[in-house]
Amino acid sequence: MQHATKGWGSGLLGVLIFSGSLPATRVAVSGFTPLFLTSARAVIAALLRMGLLLALGRARPKSGDLLPLATVALGVVVGFPLLTALALQHITSARSVVFIGLLPLATAIFGVLRGGERPRPAFWPFAMGGAAVVAGFAVAHGGVATPAGDLLMVAAVLVCGLGYAEGARLSRHLGGWQVISWALLIALPFMAALALATRPDTWSGIGGPAWLGLAYVSVFSMLVGFVFWYRGLALGGIAAVGQLQLLQPFFGLTLAGLLLGEPVAWTMIAATLVVILCVAGARRFA
C-alpha cells in the first residue's frame, strides 16, 4: 500500500509537469515550427542526460534491455511528439484532446499485455468512462475531424501507450531516470538529423517567450516529468496510475487560463470533477 501511494503521488507530479507542456508549446510555436520543436527538445534533453550518465558513471543497459528501450524511444521520444505534430497540421488542438483521452486506456491495455498486470473487471468501466468524458468534452468544444489527422492521432496514442507500459516495466529494475535517459540517447541520432533539417532560417526574430517554451518542454516535459511518471507507473501499477493522464488536458487548460489568459468554461470544471471520480474508481478497483 505504501508503494502504491508513493506511485500515485509520483505519477500525479509527472502529470502536473506534463500539463505545463500545453501552454509552453503554444508559446514555443510562435517562434519555432512543430517539427523543429519536437526534435530540438529531444536533442537538448538527450545531451543533458548524457552528461549526467557520464558524471555518475552508470553502466550500460544489458543486451536484453536494448529492444525495450528502443520501444520506449520510438513511442515517447520520437513517435508521439512527431505524430501529434504532424496530426496538428490537419486537425485542431481541441480535436487532438479526443484522442489524448484514449491514452490512459491504451496505457492500461499495454500494461496488461506487456506489464503482466491484471486489474479487476470493475476497473475497466471507470477507465472507459473517464476516456469517454474527456473525448466528449473535446468534441463539444469544436474539434474538426479529418481522416489523415485522426489516423495520425490513433497511431500516436498506440505507440505512446506502448512506450509508457514498456518504460514502466523497465523502471522496475533500471530506475525511471535511467530509462528515459537511455531512450533519449537511442533516439538522439534521428532527432538531431531532424532538428538540423528543420532548423529556422534565421534566429534573430525568435522572441524570449518562445525560447522559454522550448526550455520548458526540453527540460521538464521531455526529461524531469518522465522520471516521476515512470517511477509512478512502476510503483503504483501501469493500468491504475496511467488513469491520472485523464486529468492532464484539464490541468493544461487551467494553466493556459492562468498563464495565457485563455477562458476556463464551467463545463471544463464539471468534466474535471467527473474525471476525478473515474480516476478514484479506477484506483479503487485496479
Side-chain angles (χ1 to χ4, degrees), residues 91-102 134-135 137-138 153 249 253:
I91 61 175
T92 64
S93 58
R95 177 71 180 178
S96 71
V97 176
V98 176
F99 298 93
I100 298 301
L102 301 177
V134 176
F137 174 82
M153 284 303 303
L253 291 172

Side-chain angles (χ1 to χ4, degrees), residues 12 14-23 80 97 100 103-104 134 164 229 243-255 275:
L12 181 60
V15 168
L16 287 171
I17 293 171
F18 290 150
S19 300
S21 303
L22 176 62
F80 185 76
V97 176
I100 298 301
L103 183 53
V134 176
Y164 280 164
W229 181 239
Q243 299 308 300
L244 287 170
Q245 297 168 100
L246 290 170
L247 298 171
Q248 186 173 326
F250 302 106
F251 287 156
L253 291 172
T254 301
L255 285 172
V275 166

Side-chain angles (χ1 to χ4, degrees), residues 5-63:
T5 301
K6 289 181 179 179
W8 278 81
S10 184
L12 181 60
L13 185 54
V15 168
L16 287 171
I17 293 171
F18 290 150
S19 300
S21 303
L22 176 62
T25 300
R26 286 178 178 172
V27 171
V29 293
S30 65
F32 305 105
T33 65
L35 284 177
F36 176 78
L37 182 65
T38 298
S39 53
R41 71 180 193 173
V43 171
I44 293 170
L47 294 176
L48 290 173
R49 274 306 176 186
M50 183 187 298
L52 185 59
L53 287 169
L54 291 174
L56 296 179
R58 295 294 182 181
R60 294 181 181 180
K62 297 178 180 179
S63 57

Side-chain angles (χ1 to χ4, degrees), residues 84 89 96 121 140 151 182 254:
T84 51
Q89 295 178 344
S96 71
L151 287 174
W182 289 113
T254 301

Side-chain angles (χ1 to χ4, degrees), residues 6-18 49 171 175-177 180 220 223-236 241 244:
K6 289 181 179 179
W8 278 81
S10 184
L12 181 60
L13 185 54
V15 168
L16 287 171
I17 293 171
F18 290 150
R49 274 306 176 186
S171 295
W177 77 268
I180 190 59
F220 292 96
L223 196 58
V224 178
F226 276 107
V227 174
F228 292 103
W229 181 239
Y230 278 143
R231 181 176 184 270
L233 292 175
L235 290 177
V241 175
L244 287 170

